[in-house]
Amino acid sequence: MADAGLFRDHFAGRTVVVTGAARGIGLGIATAFAGAGADVIMVDRDDQVRQAAEDGRAAGLRLTAVPADVTRESDVAAVFDRVAELTGRLDVLINNAGVITINELEHTSLDDFNRVLAVNTTAAFLTARAALPLLRQGDGGVILNAASGQARQGFIYTPAYAASKFGIVGMSQSLAKELAPANIRVNCYCPGIVRTEMWAYNDREWGRRLGDYRPGELIEEWIDDIPLGRPAEVDDVANLLLFLASDAAVYITGQAINIDGGMFMN
């Protein structure tokens, strides 16, 4: 779990919703905000989210699981109805849910393409729209959307993923302008290589298409191009989000912020 550090108790009394929270980066984000005092609603279509919340509560964290498919409008509406019942407020929405498809163009089906955009981009639209009434009830709020290094430069064999991440940045900038008068800030976070199960999948699938790579070899090559010399840990991403959602970042909106060890410098 990320050390709340400077943000310990900073989010006490605040409600945070995290999508894609059953594992990986999403789970790390959820536990980091709970460690900083927030009431955290963990949303995921995988029922594993219930166990993750139960484990966190056993450690004294204020975590509640709300299983839902964030690509379904009715599920999203039900999530925020539940938030209203549980805490009656919403301060931070973190759209972390994401999927990737790695394949040659000729083998990428329309269903695959649409599914990636639905989870990575359309779901963020649905959750932001459904969350807006609760966000407006307070003095302001924060929306943080998961982008990627692929919002800076599309990688080979991932046309849907790259499109979804470029799209999330543009949508976030539009929402930042629209919602600023309501004191609702909207930013993106752009991870590079993060040490998670998803990156093991990425290594295998890209390696299979790019050449005869042994497991881990492709990621090792990419890490060689990172100035700080290592992949990100989940805590690195969570710590950035604690800052962006905090009162220390009240003048930051409409930005897409890299968290990649210098892999992309634009």
Side-chain angles (χ1 to χ4, degrees):
M1 184 181 76
D3 183 354
L6 293 175
F7 299 104
R8 189 169 303 281
D9 298 325
H10 183 87
F11 294 93
R14 304 189 199 186
T15 299
V16 178
V17 169
V18 183
T19 72
R23 60 174 61 83
I25 294 174
L27 177 57
I29 292 167
T31 55
F33 275 88
D39 290 288
V40 179
I41 313 302
M42 303 172 67
V43 181
D44 204 294
R45 65 180 297 175
D46 190 327
D47 200 54
Q48 182 179 330
V49 73
R50 296 185 190 274
Q51 186 62 53
E54 185 177 326
D55 292 344
R57 287 196 300 274
L61 301 177
R62 300 172 68 91
L63 296 171
T64 302
V66 179
D69 181 346
V70 289
T71 69
R72 295 171 59 90
E73 190 172 7
S74 58
D75 279 22
V76 170
V79 166
F80 293 98
D81 286 345
R82 183 67 175 138
V83 173
E85 292 172 3
L86 288 167
T87 68
R89 63 181 293 160
L90 178 62
D91 301 277
V92 183
L93 168 63
I94 301 174
N95 285 308
N96 182 75
V99 295
I100 189 170
T101 294
I102 301 170
N103 220 337
E104 294 87 349
L105 177 61
E106 63 204 90
H107 301 305
T108 301
S109 70
L110 180 58
D111 284 347
D112 287 340
F113 191 92
N114 286 339
R115 175 175 172 267
V116 172
L117 264 66
V119 175
N120 296 359
T121 311
T122 306
F125 156 74
L126 291 174
T127 55
R129 188 180 64 178
L132 192 54
L134 280 173
L135 288 170
R136 280 180 166 155
Q137 284 179 19
D139 297 327
V142 177
I143 300 173
L144 298 173
N145 294 322
S148 167
Q150 289 218 55
R152 305 305 192 187
Q153 176 180 311
F155 293 1
I156 192 170
Y157 303 139
T158 54
Y161 189 79
S164 73
K165 296 306 183 179
F166 271 88
I168 202 75
V169 171
M171 183 175 73
S172 299
Q173 291 170 345
S174 177
L175 293 180
K177 293 177 180 179
E178 177 182 348
L179 301 180
N183 195 31
I184 297 170
R185 299 185 292 108
V186 186
N187 289 296
C188 295
Y189 52 105
C190 303
I193 298 175
V194 185
R195 205 189 304 271
T196 64
E197 292 177 8
M198 179 179 282
W199 266 101
Y201 165 83
N202 292 348
D203 175 70
R204 183 181 70 250
E205 293 301 307
W206 262 309
R208 185 163 63 85
R209 288 165 177 81
L210 289 172
D212 186 19
Y213 285 89
R214 61 174 173 77
E217 184 179 6
L218 182 60
I219 288 181
E220 287 175 5
E221 286 190 8
W222 287 344
I223 290 172
D224 286 341
D225 293 330
I226 298 174
L228 289 183
R230 66 170 178 87
E233 303 294 342
V234 169
D235 285 0
D236 293 318
V237 181
N239 288 333
L240 171 64
L241 270 60
L242 286 169
F243 166 70
L244 289 175
S246 77
D247 297 340
V250 294
Y251 201 58
I252 300 175
T253 196
Q255 304 305 307
I257 299 176
N258 295 352
I259 175 74
D260 62 8
M263 191 173 184
F264 294 98
M265 295 190 180
N266 61 322

Short mmCIF file of all heavy atoms in Angstrom, two decimals, residues 41-105:
data_model
loop_
_atom_site.label_atom_id
_atom_site.label_comp_id
_atom_site.label_asym_id
_atom_site.label_seq_id
_atom_site.Cartn_x
_atom_site.Cartn_y
_atom_site.Cartn_z
N ILE A 41 -14.85 4.09 -2.57
CA ILE A 41 -15.76 3.16 -3.23
C ILE A 41 -14.98 2.51 -4.37
O ILE A 41 -14.54 3.19 -5.30
CB ILE A 41 -17.00 3.88 -3.79
CG1 ILE A 41 -17.60 4.84 -2.76
CG2 ILE A 41 -18.01 2.86 -4.30
CD1 ILE A 41 -18.01 4.20 -1.46
N MET A 42 -14.81 1.20 -4.27
CA MET A 42 -14.05 0.44 -5.27
C MET A 42 -15.01 -0.18 -6.28
O MET A 42 -15.89 -0.95 -5.91
CB MET A 42 -13.24 -0.65 -4.58
CG MET A 42 -12.29 -0.15 -3.52
SD MET A 42 -11.53 -1.50 -2.56
CE MET A 42 -10.51 -2.26 -3.84
N VAL A 43 -14.83 0.16 -7.55
CA VAL A 43 -15.73 -0.29 -8.60
C VAL A 43 -14.96 -1.17 -9.58
O VAL A 43 -13.88 -0.80 -10.03
CB VAL A 43 -16.34 0.92 -9.35
CG1 VAL A 43 -17.29 0.44 -10.45
CG2 VAL A 43 -17.05 1.86 -8.38
N ASP A 44 -15.53 -2.32 -9.88
CA ASP A 44 -14.90 -3.22 -10.86
C ASP A 44 -15.93 -4.24 -11.29
O ASP A 44 -16.80 -4.61 -10.50
CB ASP A 44 -13.68 -3.92 -10.26
CG ASP A 44 -12.68 -4.39 -11.32
OD1 ASP A 44 -13.04 -5.29 -12.12
OD2 ASP A 44 -11.56 -3.85 -11.34
N ARG A 45 -15.83 -4.73 -12.51
CA ARG A 45 -16.75 -5.77 -12.96
C ARG A 45 -16.34 -7.14 -12.41
O ARG A 45 -17.15 -8.06 -12.37
CB ARG A 45 -16.82 -5.82 -14.49
CG ARG A 45 -15.54 -6.24 -15.18
CD ARG A 45 -15.71 -6.27 -16.69
NE ARG A 45 -16.69 -7.28 -17.08
CZ ARG A 45 -17.12 -7.45 -18.34
NH1 ARG A 45 -16.66 -6.69 -19.31
NH2 ARG A 45 -17.99 -8.39 -18.62
N ASP A 46 -15.08 -7.27 -12.00
CA ASP A 46 -14.57 -8.52 -11.44
C ASP A 46 -15.00 -8.62 -9.98
O ASP A 46 -14.71 -7.73 -9.18
CB ASP A 46 -13.05 -8.55 -11.55
CG ASP A 46 -12.46 -9.92 -11.22
OD1 ASP A 46 -13.03 -10.62 -10.37
OD2 ASP A 46 -11.43 -10.27 -11.82
N ASP A 47 -15.64 -9.72 -9.63
CA ASP A 47 -16.13 -9.87 -8.25
C ASP A 47 -14.99 -9.93 -7.25
O ASP A 47 -15.22 -9.84 -6.03
CB ASP A 47 -17.01 -11.12 -8.14
CG ASP A 47 -17.91 -11.08 -6.92
OD1 ASP A 47 -18.64 -10.09 -6.77
OD2 ASP A 47 -17.86 -12.02 -6.11
N GLN A 48 -13.75 -10.05 -7.73
CA GLN A 48 -12.59 -10.01 -6.85
C GLN A 48 -12.54 -8.70 -6.06
O GLN A 48 -11.89 -8.61 -5.01
CB GLN A 48 -11.30 -10.18 -7.66
CG GLN A 48 -10.03 -10.21 -6.83
CD GLN A 48 -8.78 -10.39 -7.68
OE1 GLN A 48 -8.84 -11.03 -8.73
NE2 GLN A 48 -7.67 -9.84 -7.25
N VAL A 49 -13.23 -7.67 -6.56
CA VAL A 49 -13.22 -6.39 -5.86
C VAL A 49 -13.81 -6.51 -4.46
O VAL A 49 -13.41 -5.79 -3.54
CB VAL A 49 -13.97 -5.32 -6.70
CG1 VAL A 49 -15.48 -5.53 -6.69
CG2 VAL A 49 -13.62 -3.92 -6.21
N ARG A 50 -14.72 -7.45 -4.26
CA ARG A 50 -15.29 -7.65 -2.92
C ARG A 50 -14.21 -8.12 -1.94
O ARG A 50 -14.13 -7.62 -0.81
CB ARG A 50 -16.43 -8.66 -2.97
CG ARG A 50 -17.64 -8.24 -3.79
CD ARG A 50 -18.74 -9.29 -3.67
NE ARG A 50 -19.82 -9.07 -4.60
CZ ARG A 50 -20.86 -8.27 -4.37
NH1 ARG A 50 -20.94 -7.60 -3.22
NH2 ARG A 50 -21.82 -8.13 -5.27
N GLN A 51 -13.41 -9.07 -2.38
CA GLN A 51 -12.36 -9.58 -1.51
C GLN A 51 -11.31 -8.51 -1.23
O GLN A 51 -10.80 -8.39 -0.11
CB GLN A 51 -11.70 -10.81 -2.13
CG GLN A 51 -10.67 -11.49 -1.23
CD GLN A 51 -11.28 -12.03 0.05
OE1 GLN A 51 -12.26 -12.77 0.01
NE2 GLN A 51 -10.72 -11.64 1.19
N ALA A 52 -10.99 -7.71 -2.26
CA ALA A 52 -10.01 -6.65 -2.08
C ALA A 52 -10.48 -5.64 -1.04
O ALA A 52 -9.70 -5.19 -0.19
CB ALA A 52 -9.74 -5.95 -3.41
N ALA A 53 -11.77 -5.28 -1.09
CA ALA A 53 -12.31 -4.35 -0.11
C ALA A 53 -12.33 -4.97 1.28
O ALA A 53 -12.01 -4.30 2.28
CB ALA A 53 -13.71 -3.92 -0.52
N GLU A 54 -12.68 -6.24 1.36
CA GLU A 54 -12.71 -6.93 2.65
C GLU A 54 -11.32 -6.98 3.27
O GLU A 54 -11.16 -6.75 4.48
CB GLU A 54 -13.27 -8.34 2.47
CG GLU A 54 -13.45 -9.11 3.77
CD GLU A 54 -14.08 -10.47 3.55
OE1 GLU A 54 -14.91 -10.60 2.63
OE2 GLU A 54 -13.71 -11.40 4.29
N ASP A 55 -10.31 -7.26 2.46
CA ASP A 55 -8.94 -7.30 2.96
C ASP A 55 -8.52 -5.92 3.48
O ASP A 55 -7.85 -5.82 4.52
CB ASP A 55 -7.98 -7.74 1.86
CG ASP A 55 -8.18 -9.20 1.45
OD1 ASP A 55 -8.83 -9.95 2.22
OD2 ASP A 55 -7.69 -9.58 0.37
N GLY A 56 -8.92 -4.87 2.76
CA GLY A 56 -8.58 -3.53 3.20
C GLY A 56 -9.26 -3.14 4.50
O GLY A 56 -8.65 -2.53 5.38
N ARG A 57 -10.51 -3.52 4.63
CA ARG A 57 -11.24 -3.21 5.87
C ARG A 57 -10.61 -3.94 7.06
O ARG A 57 -10.55 -3.40 8.16
CB ARG A 57 -12.71 -3.59 5.73
CG ARG A 57 -13.50 -2.65 4.84
CD ARG A 57 -14.99 -2.82 5.02
NE ARG A 57 -15.44 -4.17 4.71
CZ ARG A 57 -15.77 -4.60 3.50
NH1 ARG A 57 -15.69 -3.76 2.47
NH2 ARG A 57 -16.17 -5.83 3.29
N ALA A 58 -10.12 -5.15 6.81
CA ALA A 58 -9.46 -5.89 7.89
C ALA A 58 -8.20 -5.16 8.36
O ALA A 58 -7.77 -5.34 9.51
CB ALA A 58 -9.10 -7.30 7.42
N ALA A 59 -7.62 -4.34 7.47
CA ALA A 59 -6.43 -3.55 7.83
C ALA A 59 -6.81 -2.17 8.34
O ALA A 59 -5.93 -1.32 8.53
CB ALA A 59 -5.51 -3.43 6.62
N GLY A 60 -8.11 -1.94 8.55
CA GLY A 60 -8.56 -0.67 9.10
C GLY A 60 -8.87 0.41 8.09
O GLY A 60 -9.03 1.59 8.46
N LEU A 61 -8.97 0.06 6.81
CA LEU A 61 -9.24 1.04 5.76
C LEU A 61 -10.73 1.12 5.46
O LEU A 61 -11.44 0.12 5.51
CB LEU A 61 -8.46 0.68 4.49
CG LEU A 61 -6.94 0.60 4.64
CD1 LEU A 61 -6.31 0.17 3.32
CD2 LEU A 61 -6.37 1.94 5.09
N ARG A 62 -11.18 2.30 5.09
CA ARG A 62 -12.60 2.53 4.79
C ARG A 62 -12.83 2.27 3.29
O ARG A 62 -12.83 3.20 2.48
CB ARG A 62 -13.00 3.94 5.18
CG ARG A 62 -12.80 4.23 6.68
CD ARG A 62 -13.02 5.69 7.01
NE ARG A 62 -14.42 6.08 6.84
CZ ARG A 62 -15.33 6.03 7.82
NH1 ARG A 62 -14.99 5.58 9.02
NH2 ARG A 62 -16.57 6.41 7.59
N LEU A 63 -13.00 1.00 2.95
CA LEU A 63 -13.17 0.57 1.57
C LEU A 63 -14.52 -0.13 1.42
O LEU A 63 -14.89 -0.97 2.25
CB LEU A 63 -12.06 -0.41 1.17
CG LEU A 63 -10.63 0.14 1.15
CD1 LEU A 63 -9.63 -0.99 0.95
CD2 LEU A 63 -10.47 1.18 0.04
N THR A 64 -15.24 0.20 0.35
CA THR A 64 -16.51 -0.44 0.05
C THR A 64 -16.50 -0.87 -1.41
O THR A 64 -16.17 -0.07 -2.30
CB THR A 64 -17.69 0.52 0.27
OG1 THR A 64 -17.68 0.97 1.63
CG2 THR A 64 -19.02 -0.17 -0.03
N ALA A 65 -16.83 -2.11 -1.68
CA ALA A 65 -16.88 -2.63 -3.04
C ALA A 65 -18.26 -2.44 -3.64
O ALA A 65 -19.27 -2.72 -2.99
CB ALA A 65 -16.52 -4.11 -3.06
N VAL A 66 -18.30 -1.95 -4.87
CA VAL A 66 -19.55 -1.85 -5.63
C VAL A 66 -19.28 -2.48 -7.00
O VAL A 66 -18.81 -1.80 -7.92
CB VAL A 66 -20.02 -0.40 -5.77
CG1 VAL A 66 -21.31 -0.34 -6.59
CG2 VAL A 66 -20.22 0.25 -4.41
N PRO A 67 -19.52 -3.78 -7.15
CA PRO A 67 -19.29 -4.42 -8.45
C PRO A 67 -20.17 -3.79 -9.53
O PRO A 67 -21.37 -3.57 -9.32
CB PRO A 67 -19.67 -5.87 -8.19
CG PRO A 67 -19.52 -6.05 -6.72
CD PRO A 67 -19.94 -4.74 -6.12
N ALA A 68 -19.57 -3.49 -10.68
CA ALA A 68 -20.32 -2.87 -11.77
C ALA A 68 -19.48 -2.95 -13.04
O ALA A 68 -18.25 -3.00 -13.00
CB ALA A 68 -20.64 -1.41 -11.45
N ASP A 69 -20.18 -2.93 -14.16
CA ASP A 69 -19.56 -2.84 -15.48
C ASP A 69 -19.68 -1.38 -15.91
O ASP A 69 -20.79 -0.91 -16.23
CB ASP A 69 -20.27 -3.77 -16.46
CG ASP A 69 -19.67 -3.74 -17.85
OD1 ASP A 69 -18.88 -2.81 -18.16
OD2 ASP A 69 -19.99 -4.63 -18.66
N VAL A 70 -18.57 -0.65 -15.93
CA VAL A 70 -18.64 0.79 -16.18
C VAL A 70 -18.90 1.12 -17.64
O VAL A 70 -19.02 2.30 -17.99
CB VAL A 70 -17.37 1.51 -15.69
CG1 VAL A 70 -17.32 1.53 -14.17
CG2 VAL A 70 -16.10 0.89 -16.27
N THR A 71 -19.02 0.12 -18.50
CA THR A 71 -19.44 0.38 -19.88
C THR A 71 -20.96 0.35 -20.02
O THR A 71 -21.48 0.67 -21.09
CB THR A 71 -18.83 -0.63 -20.87
OG1 THR A 71 -19.39 -1.92 -20.65
CG2 THR A 71 -17.32 -0.69 -20.71
N ARG A 72 -21.65 -0.02 -18.94
CA ARG A 72 -23.12 -0.10 -18.96
C ARG A 72 -23.70 1.11 -18.24
O ARG A 72 -23.43 1.34 -17.05
CB ARG A 72 -23.59 -1.39 -18.31
CG ARG A 72 -23.20 -2.65 -19.05
CD ARG A 72 -23.51 -3.88 -18.21
NE ARG A 72 -24.92 -3.95 -17.89
CZ ARG A 72 -25.85 -4.56 -18.63
NH1 ARG A 72 -25.48 -5.17 -19.75
NH2 ARG A 72 -27.11 -4.59 -18.27
N GLU A 73 -24.50 1.88 -18.94
CA GLU A 73 -25.05 3.11 -18.38
C GLU A 73 -25.85 2.85 -17.11
O GLU A 73 -25.75 3.61 -16.13
CB GLU A 73 -25.92 3.81 -19.44
CG GLU A 73 -26.36 5.20 -19.08
CD GLU A 73 -27.05 5.91 -20.24
OE1 GLU A 73 -27.30 5.25 -21.28
OE2 GLU A 73 -27.33 7.11 -20.10
N SER A 74 -26.63 1.78 -17.09
CA SER A 74 -27.45 1.48 -15.92
C SER A 74 -26.58 1.11 -14.72
O SER A 74 -26.87 1.50 -13.58
CB SER A 74 -28.42 0.34 -16.22
OG SER A 74 -27.73 -0.83 -16.63
N ASP A 75 -25.49 0.38 -14.94
CA ASP A 75 -24.57 0.03 -13.85
C ASP A 75 -23.92 1.29 -13.28
O ASP A 75 -23.78 1.43 -12.05
CB ASP A 75 -23.47 -0.90 -14.35
CG ASP A 75 -23.90 -2.36 -14.42
OD1 ASP A 75 -25.12 -2.61 -14.48
OD2 ASP A 75 -23.02 -3.24 -14.40
N VAL A 76 -23.52 2.19 -14.15
CA VAL A 76 -22.87 3.42 -13.70
C VAL A 76 -23.83 4.26 -12.86
O VAL A 76 -23.46 4.78 -11.80
CB VAL A 76 -22.34 4.22 -14.90
CG1 VAL A 76 -21.87 5.61 -14.48
CG2 VAL A 76 -21.20 3.46 -15.58
N ALA A 77 -25.08 4.37 -13.31
CA ALA A 77 -26.06 5.12 -12.54
C ALA A 77 -26.24 4.50 -11.15
O ALA A 77 -26.33 5.21 -10.14
CB ALA A 77 -27.39 5.16 -13.28
N ALA A 78 -26.26 3.18 -11.10
CA ALA A 78 -26.43 2.49 -9.82
C ALA A 78 -25.24 2.73 -8.88
O ALA A 78 -25.41 2.82 -7.66
CB ALA A 78 -26.61 0.99 -10.05
N VAL A 79 -24.03 2.84 -9.44
CA VAL A 79 -22.85 3.11 -8.62
C VAL A 79 -23.03 4.42 -7.85
O VAL A 79 -22.82 4.50 -6.63
CB VAL A 79 -21.57 3.18 -9.48
CG1 VAL A 79 -20.41 3.80 -8.69
CG2 VAL A 79 -21.19 1.79 -9.97
N PHE A 80 -23.45 5.47 -8.55
CA PHE A 80 -23.52 6.77 -7.90
C PHE A 80 -24.77 6.92 -7.04
O PHE A 80 -24.76 7.69 -6.07
CB PHE A 80 -23.35 7.88 -8.93
CG PHE A 80 -21.96 7.87 -9.50
CD1 PHE A 80 -21.69 7.25 -10.71
CD2 PHE A 80 -20.91 8.40 -8.77
CE1 PHE A 80 -20.39 7.19 -11.20
CE2 PHE A 80 -19.61 8.34 -9.25
CZ PHE A 80 -19.35 7.73 -10.46
N ASP A 81 -25.80 6.13 -7.33
CA ASP A 81 -26.90 6.03 -6.37
C ASP A 81 -26.40 5.43 -5.06
O ASP A 81 -26.79 5.89 -3.97
CB ASP A 81 -28.02 5.16 -6.94
CG ASP A 81 -28.82 5.84 -8.04
OD1 ASP A 81 -28.71 7.08 -8.17
OD2 ASP A 81 -29.54 5.13 -8.76
N ARG A 82 -25.54 4.43 -5.18
CA ARG A 82 -24.99 3.78 -3.99
C ARG A 82 -24.06 4.74 -3.23
O ARG A 82 -24.07 4.78 -1.99
CB ARG A 82 -24.23 2.53 -4.41
CG ARG A 82 -23.66 1.72 -3.26
CD ARG A 82 -24.73 1.10 -2.41
NE ARG A 82 -24.17 0.23 -1.39
CZ ARG A 82 -24.61 0.18 -0.14
NH1 ARG A 82 -25.62 0.96 0.25
NH2 ARG A 82 -24.05 -0.65 0.71
N VAL A 83 -23.27 5.51 -3.94
CA VAL A 83 -22.40 6.50 -3.29
C VAL A 83 -23.25 7.49 -2.50
O VAL A 83 -22.93 7.84 -1.36
CB VAL A 83 -21.53 7.23 -4.33
CG1 VAL A 83 -20.76 8.38 -3.68
CG2 VAL A 83 -20.56 6.27 -5.01
N ALA A 84 -24.34 7.95 -3.11
CA ALA A 84 -25.22 8.89 -2.42
C ALA A 84 -25.80 8.28 -1.14
O ALA A 84 -25.92 8.96 -0.11
CB ALA A 84 -26.34 9.33 -3.35
N GLU A 85 -26.13 6.98 -1.19
CA GLU A 85 -26.66 6.30 0.00
C GLU A 85 -25.58 6.16 1.07
O GLU A 85 -25.85 6.33 2.27
CB GLU A 85 -27.16 4.90 -0.38
CG GLU A 85 -28.39 4.88 -1.26
CD GLU A 85 -28.70 3.47 -1.74
OE1 GLU A 85 -27.98 2.53 -1.33
OE2 GLU A 85 -29.65 3.31 -2.53
N LEU A 86 -24.35 5.84 0.66
CA LEU A 86 -23.30 5.54 1.62
C LEU A 86 -22.75 6.78 2.31
O LEU A 86 -22.53 6.78 3.53
CB LEU A 86 -22.15 4.80 0.91
CG LEU A 86 -22.44 3.36 0.50
CD1 LEU A 86 -21.35 2.86 -0.45
CD2 LEU A 86 -22.51 2.45 1.72
N THR A 87 -22.46 7.82 1.55
CA THR A 87 -21.79 8.99 2.12
C THR A 87 -22.48 10.31 1.81
O THR A 87 -22.19 11.31 2.46
CB THR A 87 -20.33 9.09 1.63
OG1 THR A 87 -20.33 9.40 0.23
CG2 THR A 87 -19.59 7.78 1.87
N GLY A 88 -23.33 10.32 0.80
CA GLY A 88 -24.04 11.55 0.46
C GLY A 88 -23.18 12.61 -0.19
O GLY A 88 -23.61 13.76 -0.35
N ARG A 89 -21.97 12.23 -0.62
CA ARG A 89 -21.09 13.22 -1.24
C ARG A 89 -20.09 12.50 -2.15
O ARG A 89 -19.91 11.29 -2.06
CB ARG A 89 -20.33 14.01 -0.19
CG ARG A 89 -19.38 13.16 0.67
CD ARG A 89 -18.68 14.00 1.72
NE ARG A 89 -17.74 14.95 1.13
CZ ARG A 89 -17.30 16.04 1.75
NH1 ARG A 89 -17.73 16.31 2.98
NH2 ARG A 89 -16.44 16.85 1.17
N LEU A 90 -19.45 13.28 -3.03
CA LEU A 90 -18.37 12.76 -3.85
C LEU A 90 -17.36 13.88 -4.05
O LEU A 90 -17.72 14.99 -4.44
CB LEU A 90 -18.87 12.28 -5.21
CG LEU A 90 -17.80 11.75 -6.17
CD1 LEU A 90 -17.09 10.54 -5.58
CD2 LEU A 90 -18.39 11.41 -7.53
N ASP A 91 -16.11 13.58 -3.77
CA ASP A 91 -15.05 14.58 -3.89
C ASP A 91 -14.07 14.27 -5.02
O ASP A 91 -13.56 15.20 -5.65
CB ASP A 91 -14.29 14.66 -2.56
CG ASP A 91 -15.20 15.03 -1.41
OD1 ASP A 91 -15.47 16.23 -1.22
OD2 ASP A 91 -15.68 14.10 -0.71
N VAL A 92 -13.81 12.99 -5.24
CA VAL A 92 -12.81 12.60 -6.25
C VAL A 92 -13.33 11.39 -7.02
O VAL A 92 -13.74 10.40 -6.42
CB VAL A 92 -11.46 12.23 -5.59
CG1 VAL A 92 -10.43 11.90 -6.66
CG2 VAL A 92 -10.95 13.36 -4.70
N LEU A 93 -13.30 11.49 -8.34
CA LEU A 93 -13.62 10.37 -9.24
C LEU A 93 -12.34 10.01 -9.99
O LEU A 93 -11.75 10.86 -10.66
CB LEU A 93 -14.71 10.74 -10.23
CG LEU A 93 -14.93 9.79 -11.40
CD1 LEU A 93 -15.38 8.41 -10.92
CD2 LEU A 93 -15.94 10.37 -12.39
N ILE A 94 -11.93 8.75 -9.88
CA ILE A 94 -10.73 8.28 -10.57
C ILE A 94 -11.14 7.19 -11.55
O ILE A 94 -11.52 6.08 -11.17
CB ILE A 94 -9.68 7.76 -9.58
CG1 ILE A 94 -9.29 8.88 -8.61
CG2 ILE A 94 -8.45 7.25 -10.33
CD1 ILE A 94 -8.38 8.45 -7.49
N ASN A 95 -11.06 7.52 -12.83
CA ASN A 95 -11.41 6.59 -13.90
C ASN A 95 -10.17 5.80 -14.29
O ASN A 95 -9.42 6.19 -15.19
CB ASN A 95 -11.98 7.35 -15.09
CG ASN A 95 -13.38 7.84 -14.83
OD1 ASN A 95 -14.26 7.08 -14.44
ND2 ASN A 95 -13.61 9.13 -15.04
N ASN A 96 -9.96 4.69 -13.60
CA ASN A 96 -8.76 3.90 -13.81
C ASN A 96 -8.99 2.64 -14.65
O ASN A 96 -8.05 2.03 -15.12
CB ASN A 96 -8.17 3.50 -12.45
CG ASN A 96 -6.88 2.72 -12.60
OD1 ASN A 96 -5.84 3.27 -12.91
ND2 ASN A 96 -6.97 1.41 -12.40
N ALA A 97 -10.24 2.22 -14.83
CA ALA A 97 -10.52 0.99 -15.56
C ALA A 97 -9.91 1.04 -16.96
O ALA A 97 -9.99 2.07 -17.65
CB ALA A 97 -12.02 0.77 -15.65
N GLY A 98 -9.30 -0.06 -17.36
CA GLY A 98 -8.70 -0.07 -18.69
C GLY A 98 -8.40 -1.48 -19.18
O GLY A 98 -8.19 -2.39 -18.38
N VAL A 99 -8.40 -1.63 -20.49
CA VAL A 99 -8.03 -2.89 -21.14
C VAL A 99 -7.16 -2.56 -22.34
O VAL A 99 -7.14 -1.42 -22.83
CB VAL A 99 -9.26 -3.71 -21.59
CG1 VAL A 99 -10.08 -4.17 -20.40
CG2 VAL A 99 -10.12 -2.91 -22.56
N ILE A 100 -6.44 -3.56 -22.83
CA ILE A 100 -5.60 -3.38 -24.02
C ILE A 100 -5.75 -4.60 -24.91
O ILE A 100 -5.93 -5.73 -24.42
CB ILE A 100 -4.13 -3.17 -23.62
CG1 ILE A 100 -3.29 -2.76 -24.83
CG2 ILE A 100 -3.56 -4.40 -22.93
CD1 ILE A 100 -1.88 -2.29 -24.47
N THR A 101 -5.71 -4.37 -26.21
CA THR A 101 -5.65 -5.45 -27.19
C THR A 101 -4.39 -5.23 -28.03
O THR A 101 -4.17 -4.12 -28.53
CB THR A 101 -6.89 -5.44 -28.11
OG1 THR A 101 -8.04 -5.75 -27.33
CG2 THR A 101 -6.75 -6.47 -29.21
N ILE A 102 -3.57 -6.25 -28.14
CA ILE A 102 -2.32 -6.16 -28.91
C ILE A 102 -2.42 -7.12 -30.07
O ILE A 102 -2.44 -8.35 -29.89
CB ILE A 102 -1.11 -6.50 -28.01
CG1 ILE A 102 -1.03 -5.54 -26.82
CG2 ILE A 102 0.19 -6.46 -28.83
CD1 ILE A 102 -0.03 -5.95 -25.76
N ASN A 103 -2.52 -6.57 -31.27
CA ASN A 103 -2.67 -7.44 -32.44
C ASN A 103 -2.40 -6.64 -33.71
O ASN A 103 -2.54 -5.41 -33.73
CB ASN A 103 -4.09 -8.02 -32.50
CG ASN A 103 -4.09 -9.48 -32.93
OD1 ASN A 103 -3.16 -9.94 -33.57
ND2 ASN A 103 -5.14 -10.20 -32.59
N GLU A 104 -2.04 -7.36 -34.75
CA GLU A 104 -1.89 -6.73 -36.05
C GLU A 104 -3.24 -6.19 -36.51
O GLU A 104 -4.30 -6.72 -36.15
CB GLU A 104 -1.37 -7.73 -37.07
CG GLU A 104 0.05 -8.23 -36.81
CD GLU A 104 0.11 -9.44 -35.89
OE1 GLU A 104 -0.93 -9.78 -35.26
OE2 GLU A 104 1.20 -10.04 -35.77
N LEU A 105 -3.21 -5.14 -37.32
CA LEU A 105 -4.44 -4.50 -37.79
C LEU A 105 -5.38 -5.51 -38.42
O LEU A 105 -6.59 -5.52 -38.13
CB LEU A 105 -4.09 -3.39 -38.79
CG LEU A 105 -5.27 -2.67 -39.42
CD1 LEU A 105 -6.12 -1.97 -38.36
CD2 LEU A 105 -4.78 -1.67 -40.47
#
